[in-house]
Amino acid sequence: INCDFSNAVIHRTVFQNCKGMGLNLADGHLQNVQFINSVIDFSSFSFTKMKQVFFEETQIKNTDFFDVKWKQVWFERSYLNLVDFTSTSLMGIDFTTDELEQLQVSTDSLKGCIVSRAQAVEFSRILGLVVKED
């Protein structure tokens, strides 16, 4: 809760049933880390390097993933709202089991992102497309 772990190196750690509101992990390095059934609202992961990080049944609101470099990151049955993915590649990230609302992304970062049909409609609106019902 409002903890500053900027520039931290966190390996082989599980955050389960945690309330990490206001967590600052900017400029950090996370490897083999799991967030399970947790709340990480109003947090910052800006400029963080992530490898093998798993978000499961986690609420992520008003959180910043600006310019994150990641490899093998998963989101499962999580809720993301007002999350900033600007300058972060979403290549290979699968959001199909997640509930998404009001995401901020760079258009070039969407290439290779995996979404459901319903989510694709919402992402197309982010791109400025008008989706007309048949």
Side-chain angles (χ1 to χ4, degrees), residues 7-64:
N7 297 302
V9 176
I10 301 174
H11 287 249
R12 291 177 273 187
T13 304
V14 176
F15 295 93
Q16 188 165 4
N17 301 318
C18 291
K19 291 192 177 172
M21 293 175 58
L23 185 63
N24 184 3
L25 287 163
D27 294 304
H29 181 89
L30 279 65
Q31 186 167 343
N32 296 315
V33 174
Q34 296 179 354
F35 293 88
I36 301 171
N37 195 33
S38 295
V39 174
I40 51 174
D41 297 349
F42 303 101
S43 297
S44 177
F45 292 86
S46 294
F47 306 104
T48 299
K49 292 182 176 111
M50 296 184 186
K51 184 175 181 183
Q52 297 174 329
V53 177
F54 187 61
F55 298 90
E56 180 181 3
E57 295 180 351
T58 294
Q59 177 176 294
I60 308 167
K61 287 174 44 181
N62 293 303
T63 296
D64 188 6

Side-chain angles (χ1 to χ4, degrees), residues 39-97:
V39 174
I40 51 174
D41 297 349
F42 303 101
S43 297
S44 177
F45 292 86
S46 294
F47 306 104
T48 299
K49 292 182 176 111
M50 296 184 186
K51 184 175 181 183
Q52 297 174 329
V53 177
F54 187 61
F55 298 90
E56 180 181 3
E57 295 180 351
T58 294
Q59 177 176 294
I60 308 167
K61 287 174 44 181
N62 293 303
T63 296
D64 188 6
F65 286 91
F66 179 80
D67 202 14
V68 171
K69 306 295 183 227
W70 52 21
K71 185 175 182 181
Q72 296 177 317
V73 172
W74 302 274
F75 293 88
E76 288 286 329
R77 297 176 310 282
S78 292
Y79 172 72
L80 292 83
N81 185 15
L82 298 169
V83 176
D84 183 357
F85 289 111
T86 305
S87 299
T88 298
S89 173
L90 298 177
M91 174 78 73
I93 302 296
D94 186 338
F95 289 117
T96 55
T97 65

